[in-house]
Every structure is written in C-alpha cells, then in structure tokens.
Amino acid sequence: MTDDLLQRHRAVLPSWISLYYEEPIEIVRGEGRYVFDAHGRRYLDFFGGILTTMVGHAVPEVVEAVSQQASRIIHSSTLYLIEPMVELAERLTERSGIPNAKVFFTTSGTEANDAALLLATTFRRSNQVIAIKNSYHGRSFTQISVTGNRSWSPSSYSGLSVSWLQGGSRLRGPLAGLSDADYLARGKADLEDVLMTTTSGDVAAIIAEPIQGVGGFCLPPDGYFGELQRILAPHGILYISDEVQTGFGRTGEGFWGYESQGVTPDMITFAKGVGNGMALAGVIARGEIMDSLGTNSISTFGGSPVAASAGVATFDYLIKHNLQENARIRGAQLRRGLEEAASHNPTIGEVRGKGLMLGVEFVEGDSKAPAPHLANQALERAKSAGLLIGKGGLSGNVLRIAPPLSVTEEEMTEAVAIFQQVLGGQS
C-alpha cells in the first residue's frame, strides 16, 4: 500500500516536495511522543512534524478543544468576532515582552514573516532589510529573498533590497574558530560596514532567528543580537525575531529564543508549535507598528475558531505542565547522550543548540568538510531503530533533533540509547 501511495504521490505532487528515507513512510496515528506508520510500526517521534507537534500527539486537552469548537462552528473569517482568537492574542501579548503589543494571525510561518516585513517596510517607508546568512524564513516569493541558504532559494528576484550579515557555521568559513568575544566583535564590525556600504541608511528592519532552524541549528553567542540592536536602534531600524522554531519554551532558557540575546524585539513571528499541528501562526508587534497599515486587510483562515481553540489549549497545557523547564532538563539529558556518542565518532564535528533543539553535524574528519552522506545514513539507521529525526544545514549534513516538549525521562533514555547505537557510541 505504501509503494502504491508513493507512486500516486509522485504522479500528482511536485518533484521538489522532499520526502525522507529511501523507503518513505506514511504516519497514520500518534500517541504522546510516539507515531505509527501504515504498517503498524511504532516510532519515537523526535522531530514532531518539523518542531510542530509541541506538546505531543493526541493530547486530550487539545483534541477536546478542537472537537468542541468544530462541533459548534469551524469557520467565520476575521470579518466577525472570534473569542478563541482574542483569548490567544491576550496570552501571547502578555508573554511577548513587547509593550502595547497586538497580534495578527496567519496560517504559516512564511505568511507570518511576510506580514512582519510588510509592517516594517510600511512603518519605516523603506524596502531595505538586513538578513543573516544561512537563515531560512519561508518559501514565499518575499521570504526566499531573506533566506540565506541557496538550497532553499530558487529565485533571486525580490521587491526588497537585502543586505547580509555573517552567520551560520562556526566550524568552517569566516566564523571558524572564533571565540565568543571575537564573534561579537566581528559581528558588530560587519554590521557597521553593511550599514555604511550596502544601504542608503534608512533600513526598515533586521530579521533574525535566535537559532537557525533549517540552517542546522546554528547559533551565535548569547547577547550577540543585543549588541547588534544597540547599533541599529539609534537609526530607528526595527528588530524582527523569527521565533517560528525557537518559541514557546523550546530552548529551555526562556519562553522565546530572543531572551538569551539581550534583545527587545519590535516584532515576533511565531508558528509551528503554537497550535500543536493546526495551521496557525502570526506576528506580534508594537501597537503603532501593527496599526501602521493604511488600507483594509483581513485573514480568511488566520486565527480561525478551530485553530485558535487549539492554540489556547496548547498554550495552557504548556504553562500548566511547565514544559519550558522540562525542555531544559530533558534537553540536558539528551545533550549528554549525544556528546558521549560524539566522543567516539570523529566524523561528528559538533553537537550544538539549546534545550530540545539540538543539532549533530557530520564532517569529513579533520578537514571539517560537510558530510551529507553520513547524515543520510544516520537518518536511515535511526528510522530502522524506531526513531524519527530531521535533517538540515547548508549542505544537508546536520541531524535536527527536536522532540515534543512533553518528552519523558524514560522516553529520552530510550532515544539516547538509539543515538549511541546510530552515532557509533557505546551502547
């Protein structure tokens, strides 16, 4: 049946839609941190539908909220009042750290970042934007222009004028071998140079991920973006924190990834885990920025009654069960296991990330050249052992490991044992 579905998939869907594994699987059911394929095989899910199933599969509180709302009304659009949408916006603005904040809901992180850049360029009356190399902000025509990763940028055309700052791997390239202090100094010098040489001065915004998601979970030293904001703020340049993957406690250090960076964002974009799998995303912005559009606008599907109800239930579950703290504790357990395995494998160049957002980068020994074939082999071996993980990085040589924030100690112990086998460590 799976082979038949694969052939049907290839016949009617684009060739550029990626499928994992030499023998792709169909996931038909989930329970907690486990999923089951069409043949009934169980897997420990440590990728969560790309960091989206944030609190687990088939969580009763979320399922009940969706079911109850769907039994009343599924859709109305933002032309009408939607109480769950208002409730979720109230929770998000309170947690945002942004004064006088307002929320606009969308259906995906791509659309959320589109909205943020629309607001920034309108508010600042400028189409100039600063982005970070090795970043990923979405698949739309606008977002590929601020995505600093050739593998995900099929076109160079854009209505934005984009200037680039260094970012990405600290194993190779311009950032290789830099201490945290040298990294900070280089970043500030890089930004000053970009402002002087590649812009006309009136830049609208910078958009940055606290931890680069698709880029392979690369991250700068703590406080880095705060240092950059101190240079940008006197110019009125807005700071957009793309929290699509880092938000809602995943790093274990704060509710948002930006909190370790010493930054006060003007806007936050969010998606993925906010609805625990429902199509829900959005942008939080200072009121004056959010209200700067001078034309009418709506969102047909953004913040729909069902999706917003899932968002409220997910948010409340996250807070009630203190899942940010669980991400910190279980993330430390996972990191210890990964580093132990890496210590026995010279092809692992780095274990990095925070909380339950960890990357394992494969390299060609001392040369540190990317080794995507080794990452592919590890991905396949993990699947064979009953563990689903992701992959990313500029060269596709980084394992991306991001289980639901509700993962238990026992489940983590099970996963670590598999990783030690898969990565060549001691079992």
Side-chain angles (χ1 to χ4, degrees):
M1 181 174 177
T2 302
D3 290 342
D4 177 63
L5 183 60
L6 177 59
Q7 296 306 314
R8 291 164 58 197
H9 176 284
R10 289 173 172 166
V12 296
L13 296 177
S15 60
W16 39 261
I17 290 183
S18 299
L19 283 171
Y20 274 170
Y21 308 121
E22 294 177 2
E23 297 180 2
I25 60 174
E26 179 191 7
I27 295 174
V28 298
R29 183 168 67 88
E31 182 179 310
R33 273 64 55 192
Y34 292 93
V35 293
F36 300 80
D37 68 16
H39 301 289
R41 182 173 183 191
R42 189 180 78 160
Y43 302 88
L44 190 55
D45 183 7
F46 265 48
F47 202 39
I50 318 178
L51 293 81
T52 299
T53 308
M54 185 168 64
V55 301
H57 296 277
V59 174
E61 291 87 337
V62 179
V63 172
E64 182 180 3
V66 169
S67 178
Q68 287 188 358
Q69 181 58 57
S71 70
R72 293 192 294 270
I73 188 168
I74 292 176
H75 177 74
S76 63
S77 90
T78 56
L79 291 172
Y80 306 95
L81 292 171
I82 301 173
E83 185 173 10
M85 181 171 68
V86 174
E87 288 185 6
L88 183 55
E90 290 169 341
R91 286 161 168 77
L92 291 171
T93 55
E94 182 180 358
R95 285 276 179 166
S96 70
I98 297 175
N100 188 33
K102 293 187 176 183
V103 184
F104 177 70
F105 288 101
T106 66
T107 59
S108 71
T110 294
E111 192 185 352
N113 285 327
D114 275 346
L117 289 178
L118 171 64
L119 291 167
T121 54
T122 299
F123 184 77
R124 291 280 293 155
R125 310 308 300 170
S126 168
N127 75 330
Q128 297 182 94
V129 174
I130 295 172
I132 314 296
K133 293 179 181 179
N134 197 52
S135 60
Y136 177 84
H137 298 289
R139 55 171 169 68
S140 70
F141 187 66
T142 300
Q143 292 314 303
I144 59 175
S145 69
V146 290
T147 288
N149 187 319
R150 185 173 61 184
S151 299
W152 296 90
S153 300
S155 173
S156 63
Y157 294 107
S158 173
L160 298 174
S161 176
V162 182
S163 297
W164 296 95
L165 298 182
Q166 291 290 350
S169 176
R170 298 178 71 176
L171 289 176
R172 66 189 69 82
L175 304 176
L178 295 183
S179 67
D180 286 355
D182 288 342
Y183 191 114
L184 290 170
R186 183 184 181 96
K188 291 190 288 185
D190 187 25
L191 176 57
E192 294 277 16
D193 181 66
V194 164
L195 289 173
M196 288 293 294
T197 62
T198 67
T199 78
S200 64
D202 57 342
V203 176
I206 183 173
I207 183 168
E209 304 159 275
I211 300 175
Q212 293 179 329
V214 171
F217 292 176
C218 294
L219 69 164
D222 286 353
Y224 175 72
F225 287 117
E227 291 295 315
L228 298 191
Q229 190 180 42
R230 276 185 269 281
I231 296 171
L232 297 169
H235 301 280
I237 300 170
L238 303 178
Y239 189 96
I240 303 169
S241 187
D242 180 341
E243 301 274 357
V244 168
Q245 297 196 28
T246 51
F248 306 99
R250 178 163 289 280
T251 68
E253 294 182 350
F255 194 81
W256 305 103
Y258 81 76
E259 293 178 63
S260 65
Q261 288 294 326
V263 170
T264 302
D266 298 288
M267 286 184 267
I268 295 169
T269 57
F270 61 89
K272 294 201 181 287
V274 64
N276 204 46
M278 297 295 291
L280 183 64
V283 54
I284 311 169
R286 293 197 335 248
E288 60 179 329
I289 299 172
M290 187 66 79
D291 292 337
S292 66
L293 297 187
T295 59
N296 294 324
S297 192
I298 62 168
S299 182
T300 303
F301 295 108
S304 74
V306 174
S309 294
V312 171
T314 300
F315 187 102
D316 290 349
Y317 188 93
L318 179 83
I319 300 302
K320 178 181 178 181
H321 295 275
N322 197 15
L323 294 190
Q324 177 186 313
E325 176 66 4
N326 192 60
R328 184 187 69 80
I329 295 170
R330 299 281 74 83
Q333 179 186 358
L334 174 59
R335 185 161 194 146
R336 287 193 299 270
L338 293 174
E339 289 177 342
E340 165 64 18
S343 70
H344 301 279
N345 188 339
T347 67
I348 296 177
E350 187 176 28
V351 175
R352 58 174 177 262
K354 291 184 176 185
L356 291 176
M357 188 174 182
L358 297 179
V360 177
E361 178 157 355
F362 284 87
V363 298
E364 299 285 2
D366 292 339
S367 74
K368 302 299 183 185
H373 65 288
L374 296 178
N376 287 332
Q377 290 172 11
L379 196 76
E380 293 284 353
R381 288 199 299 270
K383 173 204 166 190
S384 296
L387 178 68
L388 303 185
I389 53 179
K391 190 180 66 167
L394 186 63
S395 301
N397 64 315
V398 182
L399 300 183
R400 297 166 65 198
I401 307 164
L405 305 192
S406 55
V407 64
T408 67
E409 181 178 4
E410 294 75 20
E411 290 161 348
M412 189 61 77
T413 299
E414 177 186 352
V416 166
I418 295 174
F419 277 121
Q420 290 178 334
Q421 172 189 350
V422 166
L423 302 180
Q426 296 173 345
S427 58

